[in-house]
Amino acid sequence: MPRISHSPSSTSFQGTLESYFGKTGSANDSQRRLTQGATSVMQQQSSQETNGQKRKILDSDSVASVPKKFKRSSKGYAPPSKYDHIVNKLTDSLAPNLICLFIGLNPGIRTATTGHAYNHPTNLFWKLLHSSGCTPRPCRAEEDGDMPRLFNLGFTNIVSRATKDGSELSNEEMDEGVAVLEMKIAAQKPEAVAIVGKSIWESIWRVRHRKKITKNEFKYGWQDERENMGKSKEKDLAWKGAKVFVATTTSGLAAGMGRQEKEEVWRGLGEWVEKRRAERADTTAGENADCEDK
């Protein structure tokens, strides 16, 4: 774009036109050209301003469209009527004298409708069960009913009703489930119970100690012997209750711990289960040998 000087000049307007456009055109032509040039400049400036505003709007939209870090919102309590249309097909997988009984929170929608424990693609339960050593091979949710027979492992939940998310349960109904758990454990007498999630142990602790568990009191892994579950209040009974192992939740909706951290916690349980399974196998082999000798 030509630079136009605004400094005063002693030459006439006609002379200025002729010096700018040349002497070959008329004054009218020169003036028309000057007007057209000025109009073109104004249009370019207007176009630049409009484009600039568009760029600002686009930039603003692009910033606003950048996804924020995902954070799961708390759904809050949902009454049982919300899921009245769900037919819960899940049942406990129990047997006497199991090596370990796994205690979950409650069935999710997919688990309830299929009737198989921890049956959701994002749930890590079956992966952690194998990687920790609790099972010698990978297992599927559809095998849950066979786990007592195959590997001396069983399943139950602290709350039986299905929800989409664990946060839709109330503390009251979780606490009410503790007494039922104690009765199931006392009846089946497993060697150990694995609590699959911190909130479940918090509920059991509330009922037993009549207060919330503190940060210093909570720990993953094996709990003190006085926390054994299912034991009778009668001191003369030989059974001292099931040992308690608090494991991490396996839900895909839960945040806070990575896969590796969960693996480390679960490995503590898996090592013990592996050992007990081997010891039981040796005992069974010895008993069979004794029978053959007789």
Side-chain angles (χ1 to χ4, degrees):
M1 172 182 175
R3 185 177 58 188
I4 300 176
S5 175
H6 297 285
S7 58
S9 174
S10 59
T11 60
S12 66
F13 180 71
Q14 178 67 30
T16 302
L17 292 177
E18 291 178 351
S19 63
Y20 183 76
F21 292 105
K23 298 181 181 180
T24 57
S26 64
N28 291 335
D29 291 340
S30 300
Q31 189 170 2
R32 184 174 64 253
R33 291 176 187 174
L34 180 61
T35 302
Q36 290 174 346
T39 301
S40 176
V41 171
M42 292 174 66
Q43 289 176 343
Q44 290 178 8
Q45 290 176 340
S46 176
S47 176
Q48 289 174 353
E49 289 176 357
T50 302
N51 290 335
Q53 290 176 347
K54 289 181 179 179
R55 282 196 297 272
K56 288 181 181 179
I57 294 172
L58 290 173
D59 290 344
S60 176
D61 289 343
S62 63
V63 171
S65 64
V66 175
K68 296 181 180 179
K69 186 177 179 180
F70 175 76
K71 183 177 180 181
R72 183 170 63 92
S73 60
S74 177
K75 296 181 181 301
Y77 175 74
S81 58
K82 180 178 179 179
Y83 297 103
D84 276 348
H85 62 287
I86 300 296
V87 177
N88 188 359
K89 300 178 181 178
L90 184 69
T91 58
D92 291 341
S93 297
L94 301 174
N97 195 31
L98 295 168
I99 291 177
C100 187
L101 174 62
F102 292 86
I103 300 174
L105 182 58
N106 75 310
I109 303 303
R110 182 184 175 92
T111 290
T113 55
T114 61
H116 296 296
Y118 305 96
N119 192 16
H120 194 279
T122 63
N123 198 299
L124 297 174
F125 180 83
W126 295 100
K127 294 181 177 66
L128 289 170
L129 198 68
H130 172 57
S131 64
S132 66
C134 289
T135 59
R137 65 167 175 81
C139 298
R140 297 173 293 108
E142 291 76 13
E143 296 180 274
D144 57 351
D146 296 323
M147 297 302 283
R149 175 181 58 83
L150 294 172
F151 305 116
N152 280 299
L153 304 176
F155 308 101
T156 189
N157 291 305
I158 190 171
V159 177
S160 60
R161 78 176 179 100
T163 60
K164 186 176 181 180
D165 188 276
S167 65
E168 294 179 309
L169 299 174
S170 68
N171 287 344
E172 289 74 19
E173 62 187 318
M174 289 177 63
D175 292 355
E176 288 173 1
V178 174
V180 179
L181 286 178
E182 295 280 9
M183 288 189 291
K184 290 179 182 180
I185 296 167
Q188 303 298 334
K189 292 182 172 52
E191 290 190 41
V193 293
I195 311 299
V196 188
K198 180 180 179 181
S199 63
I200 306 170
W201 185 239
E202 289 175 335
S203 181
I204 296 171
W205 185 280
R206 271 197 309 270
V207 172
R208 288 182 158 194
H209 300 274
R210 299 184 179 181
K211 71 181 187 70
K212 292 182 179 180
I213 190 170
T214 65
K215 185 176 180 180
N216 292 332
E217 289 170 329
F218 177 82
K219 64 179 179 178
Y220 285 111
W222 293 109
Q223 305 300 305
D224 297 336
E225 185 177 346
R226 64 178 178 270
E227 300 297 343
N228 285 8
M229 295 190 68
K231 59 185 176 182
S232 174
K233 294 180 181 180
E234 299 177 18
K235 297 181 180 180
D236 59 338
L237 293 181
W239 195 61
K240 297 181 179 180
K243 298 172 59 176
V244 177
F245 186 97
V246 178
T248 68
T249 180
T250 59
S251 172
L253 295 176
M257 292 185 73
R259 172 73 179 267
Q260 185 175 355
E261 292 176 294
K262 292 181 179 181
E263 293 271 7
E264 292 174 0
V265 174
W266 276 76
R267 186 56 187 156
L269 174 64
E271 289 175 348
W272 179 83
V273 171
E274 283 180 318
K275 179 182 177 182
R276 288 299 299 130
R277 184 177 294 117
E279 290 172 348
R280 284 195 180 194
D282 290 342
T283 300
T284 302
E287 291 174 350
N288 292 336
D290 291 341
C291 291
E292 290 176 1
D293 291 341
K294 293 178 181 179

